[in-house]
Amino acid sequence: MLKKAIHYSVVAKVNPKDSEGDPLYYAQVQSRGSVSLSTIARRIQQTCTVTRADIMGTLAALEQTICEGLANGEIIRLGELGSLQMLIRSKGADTEKDYTTDLIHRVYPLFRPGEGLQDMLDTLTYAQVEPKTTKDKKQA
């Protein structure tokens, strides 16, 4: 069973309300590594009868299907895991007629956690750790 604790460090950041004043201290998540698609497939294989190769193929097809759906403007519902949909950020125009796609400056996927993922988020614990150094960040 994986440990359920978010590692964080406390770091000083400029106060957005007073950039000339003293910094404020905030929690910053410290990654404990990353998990590859292959590792995910291996972990899933340990809990069911499907082979790692079959899982890898399914996950690759899932990625492609999600990308195609998002590019088509669809909301992707992933059961209790959550849903994905595209959001758009743009500058405003004085009139509808004046609006052009040149005013769009960012399009990105938004993830909304489902009930299963939200339950996990509600039960997390936290462990404070030392901030990573620049050398540590390059290795992670």
Side-chain angles (χ1 to χ4, degrees):
M1 183 82 175
L2 299 174
K3 295 178 186 175
K4 292 192 321 184
I6 298 298
H7 284 189
Y8 72 95
S9 58
V10 178
V11 296
K13 295 187 179 181
V14 174
N15 181 347
K17 293 181 180 178
D18 181 12
S19 61
E20 300 296 321
D22 292 334
L24 295 177
Y25 292 84
Y26 297 89
Q28 179 172 297
V29 171
Q30 294 295 326
S31 168
R32 291 164 59 180
S34 62
V35 180
S36 68
L37 205 58
S38 180
T39 300
I40 292 170
R42 184 180 46 76
R43 289 179 182 177
I44 292 171
Q45 177 183 310
Q46 293 172 352
T47 64
C48 65
T49 60
V50 180
T51 68
R52 184 181 156 281
D54 289 338
I55 295 165
M56 286 292 293
T58 302
L59 291 174
L62 177 63
E63 177 187 6
Q64 180 179 349
T65 303
I66 288 171
C67 289
E68 289 172 357
L70 290 174
N72 194 36
E74 298 171 327
I75 297 173
I76 308 298
R77 301 206 186 276
L78 299 168
E80 290 190 14
L81 183 61
S83 63
L84 287 159
Q85 73 181 82
M86 296 303 284
L87 285 186
I88 195 167
R89 296 279 186 237
S90 71
K91 295 178 182 175
D94 291 332
T95 67
E96 185 177 351
K97 187 176 180 180
D98 292 338
Y99 193 88
T100 68
T101 57
D102 292 338
L103 296 173
I104 297 172
H105 57 86
R106 185 171 181 217
V107 179
Y108 59 95
L110 172 70
F111 179 77
R112 289 190 173 102
E115 187 176 329
L117 188 55
Q118 191 61 54
D119 288 347
M120 180 275 303
L121 294 171
D122 292 342
T123 60
L124 285 175
T125 59
Y126 305 92
Q128 186 173 347
V129 298
E130 291 297 317
K132 289 185 177 181
T133 64
T134 304
K135 180 180 172 186
D136 294 337
K137 290 178 184 176
K138 288 179 182 175
Q139 292 174 354

